[in-house]
């Protein structure tokens, strides 16, 4: 784990696993827990993850995440799951059910599909034009098409405890 203090911020930043958080994190409670485009890597262990979030989130606290969810059956998102190294992929309704099970109430969200489509198109073009190393243009094109074809949605969600 990496711990870093910034003199001009009243915050501490920790890097670690979703499932093996350091005691310095789990021994406290928080007003907010945020995850950006990473929750979907743990859809297959959603109970563990939401249980951890629920334990460290203060009553009245807010959980915010941007994430991909499937809009169709799993067979239609198989390529998306494989290219993103996903074991499972939840629908938004399945996430809402899981949130409730772990004491978190879905309080709203927003569809970010148009942003996701535009962003992945830009990334694919940049990879092609600059011959970049890393995720391929095909990877970003697959993400863009999965959202454009309405097999997958990219959402920001909020839940409260």
């Amino acid at each position: 784990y990496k711990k870093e203090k910034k003199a001009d911020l009243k915050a501490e930043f920790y890097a670690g696993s979703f499932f093996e958080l350091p005691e310095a994190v789990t021994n406290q409670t928080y007003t907010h827990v945020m995850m950006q485009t990473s929750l979907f890597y743990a859809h297959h262990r959603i109970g563990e993850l939401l249980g951890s979030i629920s334990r460290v989130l203060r009553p009245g606290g807010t959980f915010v995440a941007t994430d991909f969810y499937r809009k169709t059956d799993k067979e239609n998102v198989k390529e998306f799951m494989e290219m993103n190294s996903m074991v499972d992929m939840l629908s938004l309704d399945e996430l809402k059910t899981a949130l409730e099970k772990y004491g978190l109430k879905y309080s709203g969200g927003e569809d970010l599909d148009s942003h996701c489509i535009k962003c992945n198109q830009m990334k694919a073009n940049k990879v092609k034009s600059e011959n970049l190393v890393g995720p391929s243009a095909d990877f970003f094109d697959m993400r863009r098409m999965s959202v454009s074809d309405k097999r997958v949605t990219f959402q920001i969600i909020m839940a409260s405890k």
Side-chain angles (χ1 to χ4, degrees), residues 4-161:
E4 183 178 339
K5 287 190 177 192
K6 300 282 188 177
D8 58 338
L9 293 175
K10 294 186 187 278
E12 292 181 3
F13 299 89
Y14 296 88
S17 166
F18 294 146
F19 307 107
E20 297 174 11
L21 295 171
E23 284 185 24
V25 172
T26 59
N27 287 340
Q28 300 181 59
T29 58
Y30 303 90
T31 58
H32 292 80
V33 173
M34 295 184 229
M35 299 180 78
Q36 183 175 350
T37 320
S38 56
L39 180 64
F40 70 99
Y41 291 113
H43 280 190
H44 65 295
R45 295 172 68 182
I46 198 69
E48 279 180 82
L49 181 60
L50 294 178
S52 293
I53 291 168
S54 186
R55 278 191 296 283
V56 299
L57 194 61
R58 289 182 189 158
T62 303
F63 170 53
V64 179
T66 57
D67 201 13
F68 289 101
Y69 302 98
R70 66 179 166 78
K71 293 181 86 170
T72 185
D73 61 76
K74 290 181 187 176
E75 189 59 36
N76 288 329
V77 294
K78 191 174 182 176
E79 178 189 15
F80 184 92
M81 290 172 60
E82 288 172 0
M83 287 189 81
N84 284 283
S85 302
M86 298 171 69
V87 176
D88 195 9
M89 187 172 196
L90 300 176
S91 68
L92 189 54
D93 285 339
E94 289 169 332
L95 176 73
K96 289 177 185 180
T97 299
L99 288 166
E100 291 284 337
K101 183 176 179 180
Y102 290 92
L104 301 167
K105 181 173 176 29
Y106 179 80
S107 54
E110 187 175 337
D111 180 314
L112 301 175
D113 287 352
S114 61
H115 169 77
C116 181
I117 291 165
K118 204 181 319 178
C119 186
N120 279 284
Q121 181 65 61
M122 289 171 41
K123 288 177 184 178
N125 291 342
K126 186 170 181 137
V127 168
K128 290 174 192 171
S129 67
E130 297 180 22
N131 202 23
L132 298 175
V133 176
S136 68
D138 288 343
F139 172 81
F140 294 116
D141 284 336
M142 175 276 307
R143 277 187 164 187
R144 178 183 54 80
M145 289 306 301
S146 294
V147 175
S148 295
D149 294 347
K150 306 219 180 287
R151 290 175 284 145
V152 173
T153 184
F154 188 66
Q155 302 273 323
I156 184 168
I157 62 102
M158 291 176 285
S160 58
K161 182 170 178 183

